[in-house]
Amino acid sequence: MRTIRLLLALLLVSSILVGQTKEFSKDYFLQKSKKQKTTAWILLGGGTAMAVGGFAKFDSSWDSGSASTTDIAGIIGTVGFLTGLASIPYFISAGKNKRTAMSITFDYQPIYLSTDNLVAAKAHPTLSLKIKL
């Protein structure tokens, strides 16, 4: 009975591990970079608009003495500023993914095979990743 449970658990884990395949191609990293850059620009633009609008309303309501409007405008301005700051990691990640995509190349590498008396070169397609140290 214990053996059956162990085999069932191993079968379950192995099926999960086989299902975890990721595509690491040049197009994958370029698409990921493009989506992250779009997200970063949306966060930066929206955050800037919220910050400018919120702090402008904060300044005008400060003089009028309306405490609730001043509080809400200050919160909107602060949230907008923090949203603009949240775009920075997306820009950094987009740049890293773009550099990774540019370092992946697909080409043909010669593989030398020995035949009876000759050495023959046969080209095989390869996917290479350049790592700069």
Side-chain angles (χ1 to χ4, degrees):
M1 189 68 176
R2 184 180 236 176
T3 308
I4 293 173
R5 284 187 206 162
L6 181 63
L7 287 175
L8 187 59
L10 287 174
L11 180 66
L12 194 75
V13 170
S14 66
S15 66
I16 292 171
L17 292 176
V18 170
Q20 294 181 359
T21 57
K22 288 189 178 183
E23 178 186 349
F24 293 115
S25 66
K26 188 174 188 174
D27 295 331
Y28 169 77
F29 284 110
L30 284 175
Q31 186 69 22
K32 190 173 181 180
S33 172
K34 184 179 177 183
K35 286 181 181 180
Q36 287 174 335
K37 192 165 279 202
T38 303
T39 303
W41 279 113
I42 289 171
L43 284 173
L44 184 64
T48 303
M50 283 175 61
V52 168
F55 289 135
K57 182 68 177 169
F58 178 82
D59 187 41
S60 66
S61 66
W62 183 267
D63 296 332
S64 68
S66 175
S68 63
T69 307
T70 305
D71 291 343
I72 292 172
I75 290 171
I76 290 174
T78 304
V79 168
F81 177 74
L82 293 175
T83 304
L85 286 179
S87 69
I88 294 172
Y90 284 99
F91 278 119
I92 292 171
S93 183
K96 285 182 181 178
N97 284 326
K98 188 172 184 178
R99 282 191 297 277
T100 301
M102 292 301 152
S103 67
I104 294 176
T105 58
F106 182 76
D107 58 349
Y108 290 93
Q109 293 288 329
I111 295 177
Y112 297 102
L113 305 169
S114 62
T115 57
D116 294 333
N117 293 333
L118 300 172
V119 174
K122 187 175 181 182
H124 285 279
T126 59
L127 182 69
S128 62
L129 175 64
K130 297 177 187 175
I131 299 174
K132 296 181 181 179
L133 300 176

